[in-house]
Amino acid sequence: MRTYSHNAPLKAALGKFRRSGKRIAFVPTMGNLHEGHLDLVRKARDLCDIVVVSIFVNPLQFGPDEDLDAYPRTMAADKEKLFKEGVQVLYAPEVGEIYPEGMAGQSIVHVPQLGDELCGSDRPGHFDGVTTVVSKLFNIVQPDVAVFGEKDFQQLSIVRKMVADLCMPIEIVGVRTSRDEDGLARSSRNGYLSLEHRRIAPVLHRTLTDCRDAIACGFDNFLQLESHARMHLIEAGFEPDYFEIRDARTLQAVNDATEEIAILAAARLGATRLIDNIRLSLNPISDWGMLAGGN
Ligand code: PAF
C-alpha cells in the first residue's frame, strides 16, 4: 500500500493506473476505521481494480462547538487495517493540502433542500462542508466509483444529488449499515459512549425497527408513530434531535408516489450524537427482503 499526503504524486500514480486501463474505486473516510468502513473497502475491491481510501478529518464539516479536536485520530491502526484489506492507495493529506488558502474564502458546494433539513438543520453548514470536501476529493482522485455507507443516509442522498446535478462522471454506491450484535450502527463516535450509554444505545435501532414493523403491518398515522418513537427514546434516556418518516428518494414527506420509506433518527446520549435509519419498500415484491434484514 502506498501512502500519499500530497496531491501531485497521488495524481501521477493514479494517472498511471488509469492509463493502463485500471478502474479506480474511492472510499472517503475520516479515519478511526471500524468494520463498517472495511465493508466499504471490500465493496470497492469487488467493483474495481484499484482501491483508494482517503483519511481526512475535514474541519469544514464541523460546527464551532463540535468534536473536531476530540475526533479520534488512529492513523497507525487504520493503515494496518487497510493494508490487510489489500488497499493499494491511501491518501492522507494535511489540512493545508486541501485548503491551501484557508477555509474562510473557500468556494462552497451547496445542495439545497436535501442538505437543509434533518441533520442539516441541527448542524448548520455541516453538509456544505461534506459536499465541498467530497467534490475536492473527487477532483483529486477522479474515481470511476465512490463508495459510501447507508448509515449516513442523508449524506449519501446529498452526494448522489450533487453528482447528478454537477454531471460528475462517478458512480455512487451505497453499502448497508454495519451493526454490532445488539443492532447499534457502527460509528467512530460510539467510542465516546460511557458504559451506561453504550447499554442504552441499541434502543435507537430497536425504535426504528418497531416503527418500520408498525408501518409494514398497515399502521399509517405517521405523526403518531413519530411522536411515540420520540417519547420512547426520551424514556430510554436519549435527547432526540429528530425521528422522521420520509420518502427515501426525496427525503420529503411520504406521498402517493413514494416507493420506499426511510425512517431517520438522530438522538443524543449525553454529549454523543447518534444517527441511524432504516428503510421499508412499499413494493410488495421486495417487502419481504426489507423486513428480513433491510439495513
Ligand atoms: O462520512 C464521512 O466520514 C465524511 O463525512 C466524509 C464523506 C469522509 C467527508 O469528510
Side-chain angles (χ1 to χ4, degrees):
M1 184 173 80
R2 295 291 302 269
T3 301
Y4 298 88
S5 48
H6 294 284
N7 301 343
L10 171 79
K11 281 183 175 177
L14 295 180
K16 274 192 196 153
F17 286 129
R18 222 170 276 116
R19 282 191 295 279
S20 64
K22 307 276 192 223
R23 277 171 55 82
I24 296 173
F26 177 45
V27 183
T29 81
M30 298 207 299
N32 193 235
L33 304 179
H34 50 67
E35 266 306 300
H37 294 111
L38 300 183
D39 280 352
L40 308 186
V41 167
R42 288 168 198 140
K43 183 67 178 183
R45 213 174 48 201
D46 287 349
L47 294 173
C48 288
D49 311 294
I50 303 294
V51 177
V52 180
V53 175
S54 65
I55 295 183
F56 178 64
V57 182
N58 172 36
L60 198 62
Q61 69 189 74
F62 287 78
D65 301 325
E66 292 185 352
D67 56 343
L68 173 63
D69 293 333
Y71 199 85
R73 287 151 170 97
T74 52
M75 187 58 84
D78 290 351
K79 275 188 175 174
E80 207 173 308
K81 289 176 188 167
L82 295 176
F83 177 75
K84 281 196 186 138
E85 290 297 331
V87 167
Q88 293 95 336
V89 176
L90 168 62
Y91 177 48
E94 295 294 332
V95 173
E97 189 72 8
I98 298 292
Y99 301 109
E101 294 177 20
M103 292 186 298
Q106 170 66 49
S107 305
I108 293 295
V109 179
H110 177 68
V111 176
Q113 292 156 0
L114 264 184
D116 295 332
E117 52 181 310
L118 302 169
C119 285
S121 62
D122 293 327
R123 303 181 66 190
H126 167 67
F127 286 122
D128 286 354
V130 171
T131 42
T132 300
V133 83
V134 168
S135 307
K136 278 174 174 265
L137 293 169
F138 281 178
N139 284 333
I140 295 164
V141 175
Q142 298 180 21
D144 298 286
V145 173
V147 183
F148 291 81
E150 288 181 350
K151 180 186 149 275
D152 298 298
F153 190 71
Q154 190 179 8
Q155 170 175 281
L156 174 62
S157 308
I158 289 169
V159 169
R160 282 192 202 284
K161 175 91 166 76
M162 173 186 82
V163 162
D165 285 356
L166 301 182
C167 308
M168 295 175 167
I170 301 171
E171 183 192 347
I172 303 299
V173 172
V175 172
R176 208 161 131 162
T177 304
S178 168
R179 298 185 182 278
D180 287 346
E181 299 246 305
D182 57 11
L184 177 64
R186 295 200 166 103
S187 161
S188 299
R189 290 191 168 100
N190 292 353
Y192 297 153
L193 294 168
S194 66
L195 276 180
E196 175 59 3
H197 284 158
R198 176 63 189 79
R199 192 185 56 75
I200 299 170
V203 173
L204 185 59
H205 179 237
R206 280 207 295 277
T207 310
L208 287 164
T209 52
D210 287 351
C211 180
R212 178 198 61 190
D213 294 350
I215 299 171
C217 288
F219 198 88
D220 62 0
N221 186 336
F222 291 171
L223 283 179
Q224 198 176 336
L225 283 173
E226 288 166 348
S227 98
H228 177 79
R230 276 192 290 268
M231 282 312 299
H232 187 66
L233 290 173
I234 291 167
E235 277 160 22
F238 287 88
E239 270 180 69
D241 279 350
Y242 61 78
F243 189 103
E244 296 279 334
I245 301 167
R246 299 284 177 100
D247 179 301
R249 197 178 55 79
T250 61
L251 294 190
Q252 300 304 305
V254 173
N255 59 40
D256 289 346
T258 300
E259 290 176 1
E260 191 183 19
I261 284 178
I263 312 169
L264 305 112
R268 290 168 204 270
L269 274 175
T272 310
R273 185 173 187 272
L274 300 178
I275 61 170
D276 201 352
N277 69 86
I278 201 161
R279 297 200 310 286
L280 171 68
S281 170
L282 297 182
N283 172 354
I285 293 166
S286 53
D287 259 5
W288 189 85
M290 294 306 295
L291 285 170
N295 209 18

